[in-house]
């Protein structure tokens, strides 16, 4: 089954063709970084306008790269939420109209589930049950995943998401937006032991996260020690990254132990971070657990993960198409309760 995935929840216009929920035939991601860069963050109205401009060419190039005409597509999967409503609506309406025109089923996908399902776009993929840590710009959630269609949220951030903390620290350090990649590249050449930033564990058995404290600590440190810039900037980045990675690693390992899972999936934009992968890999090894992460280009927002999730919904529900009057949702039921 060839599924065309479409993703426009935030500042990336993405389309992909995935065969049988696992084989990526094409994945196109058109970033809007240059549109939002001057504002230091995503401007919702501008995001929606840019999606409108590029959605048709992006879908077209995903089909061409997959060597497929629209008639070769069996179904369309599109992000229904969570995200910016104006941005979501562009992909959502486009997908419904395309499916209607081609007379094929379409399905709305939860973006967070898309990130979880991205772990099946590579081999080997984890067997069920496993624990997934979704760390991105909008979320830091731990899930106990028992099947393609069932996952329980065990914990989430109470304030900033991990990626958001990276972005804010990048801003404090003058590295621009979005800054996760820039902070981690800088951290590679820094010494994390020179500065100690606080780790917030929220109690011994807690699975929720809080990253606003460490971000504030970095800000305060820079104000108190302006001389650290520019020469000591790499040490600040490394010390910050280590504080975040310590907490993420501790919680995901404890979640796996608590649920008796021997398999851990790291998904979302922050899972592109090599120090994070390395630390969880080492800790998991000590406990006889196995760690999985998508290829780096499928960690951040993309449409292949949406197609993969759509495949599971459609193959599990007998290819029932979505209703044409369905609407997008700004918040996800997969977020869990605080
Ligand atoms: O999954 P994603 O593309 O979008 C959301 O769903 O939010 O994640 C984007 C986030 C941004 O906050 C970005 O700074 C962060 O992932 N990120 C990283 C790295 N690469 C991207 N954070 C830390 N280290 C990285 N190498
Ligand atoms: Zn995302």
């Amino acid at each position: 089954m060839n599924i065309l995935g479409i993703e426009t929840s935030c500042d990336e216009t993405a389309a992909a063709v995935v065969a049988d929920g696992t084989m990526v035939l094409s994945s196109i991601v058109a970033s809007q970084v240059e549109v939002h860069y001057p504002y230091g963050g995503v401007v919702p109205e501008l995001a929606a306008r840019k999606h409108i401009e590029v959605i048709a060419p992006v879908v077209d190039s995903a089909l061409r790269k997959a060597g497929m005409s629209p008639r070769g597509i069996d179904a369309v999967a599109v992000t229904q939420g969570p995200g910016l409503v104006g941005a979501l609506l562009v992909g959502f309406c486009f997908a419904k109209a395309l499916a209607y025109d081609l007379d094929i089923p379409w399905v709305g996908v939860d973006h967070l589930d898309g990130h979880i399902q991205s772990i099946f776009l590579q081999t080997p993929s984890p067997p069920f049950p496993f624990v997934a840590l979704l760390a991105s710009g909008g979320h830091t959630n731990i899930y106990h995943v028992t099947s393609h269609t069932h996952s329980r949220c065990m914990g989430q951030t109470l304030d900033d998401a991990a990626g958001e903390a990276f972005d804010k620290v990048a801003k404090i350090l003058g590295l621009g937006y979005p800054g996760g990649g820039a902070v981690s590249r800088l951290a590679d050449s820094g010494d994390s032991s020179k500065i100690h930033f606080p780790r917030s564990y929220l109690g011994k058995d807690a699975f929720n996260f809080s990253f606003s404290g460490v971000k504030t600590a970095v800000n305060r440190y820079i104000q108190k020690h302006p001389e650290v810039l520019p020469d000591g900037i790499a040490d600040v980045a490394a010390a910050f990254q280590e504080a975040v990675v310590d907490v993420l690693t501790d919680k995901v390992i404890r979640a796996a132990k608590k649920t008796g899972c021997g398999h851990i999936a790291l998904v979302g934009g922050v899972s592109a971070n090599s120090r994070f992968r390395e630390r969880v890999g080492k800790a998991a090894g000590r406990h006889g657990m196995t760690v999985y992460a998508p290829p780096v280009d499928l960690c951040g927002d993309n449409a292949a993960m949406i197609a993969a999730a759509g495949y599971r919904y459609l193959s599990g529900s007998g290819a029932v198409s979505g209703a044409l009057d369905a609407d997008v949702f700004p918040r996800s039921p997969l977020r869990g309760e605080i």
Side-chain angles (χ1 to χ4, degrees):
M1 188 188 231
N2 293 323
I3 300 201
L4 171 69
I6 294 177
E7 150 68 39
T8 62
S9 65
C10 191
D11 60 343
E12 258 113 19
T13 318
V17 180
V18 175
D20 298 333
T22 54
M23 235 184 316
V24 182
L25 303 183
S26 66
S27 175
I28 307 290
V29 180
S31 163
Q32 301 183 357
V33 165
E34 80 286 358
V35 174
H36 305 288
Y37 188 87
Y39 305 94
V42 179
V43 184
E45 174 69 16
L46 296 182
R49 284 168 189 257
K50 192 69 187 171
H51 285 311
I52 290 171
E53 255 177 56
V54 305
I55 181 85
V58 165
V59 167
D60 197 42
S61 64
L63 288 170
R64 263 190 291 122
K65 189 145 184 238
M68 216 163 264
S69 77
R71 295 276 159 211
I73 298 296
D74 299 302
V76 182
V78 60
T79 307
Q80 189 165 6
L84 305 169
V85 168
L88 283 165
L89 277 170
V90 178
F92 199 62
C93 294
F94 189 95
K96 286 198 282 188
L98 184 63
Y100 183 78
D101 183 49
L102 295 170
D103 197 21
I104 55 175
W106 73 274
V107 63
V109 168
D110 187 304
H111 181 86
L112 306 188
D113 194 32
H115 276 298
I116 296 171
Q117 303 294 331
S118 70
I119 207 65
F120 298 102
L121 293 170
Q122 45 119 47
T123 48
S125 54
F128 296 110
F130 62 88
V131 161
L133 171 52
L134 160 53
S136 69
H139 299 87
T140 311
N141 297 357
I142 295 189
Y143 295 98
H144 182 216
V145 186
T146 47
S147 77
H148 279 297
T149 46
H150 287 95
S151 42
R152 181 175 64 87
C153 185
M154 298 175 69
Q156 61 188 302
T157 184
L158 303 181
D159 40 55
D160 291 351
E164 188 179 357
F166 268 90
D167 293 336
K168 287 179 176 167
V169 164
K171 214 168 179 177
I172 293 165
L173 299 180
L175 300 173
Y177 157 88
V183 171
S184 75
R185 277 189 298 279
L186 199 57
D188 284 345
S189 59
D191 180 350
S192 64
S193 67
K194 285 199 178 157
I195 310 159
H196 181 84
F197 290 123
R199 278 86 169 138
S200 176
Y201 290 98
L202 303 170
K204 200 161 70 61
D205 297 319
F207 291 109
N208 284 334
F209 298 90
S210 167
F211 292 111
S212 75
V214 63
K215 166 203 70 187
T216 307
V218 173
N219 199 20
R220 246 193 261 121
Y221 185 88
I222 296 293
Q223 281 171 359
K224 237 174 132 182
H225 304 276
E227 74 285 356
V228 82
L229 300 180
D231 291 349
I233 189 173
D235 297 336
V236 177
F240 160 74
Q241 176 174 272
E242 211 59 15
V244 173
V245 167
D246 267 353
V247 175
L248 293 174
T249 305
D250 174 79
K251 299 221 176 214
V252 75
I253 296 287
R254 276 198 302 103
K257 275 207 239 170
K258 174 152 186 163
T259 52
C261 288
H263 301 271
I264 292 173
L266 305 179
V267 296
V270 179
S271 60
N273 186 292
S274 49
R275 179 70 181 153
F276 174 43
R277 288 181 179 222
E278 180 195 327
R279 287 282 313 279
V280 179
K282 279 193 182 148
R286 286 196 291 276
H287 291 90
M289 299 166 181
T290 312
V291 179
Y292 306 78
V296 167
D297 59 332
L298 296 177
C299 289
D301 287 349
N302 67 85
M305 68 186 199
I306 302 303
Y311 173 77
R312 305 300 169 180
Y313 298 176
L314 286 167
S315 52
S317 65
V320 174
S321 186
L324 278 180
D325 61 355
D327 204 353
V328 298
F329 52 85
R331 287 169 77 82
S332 170
L334 283 176
R335 243 182 107 240
E337 298 301 321
I338 290 188

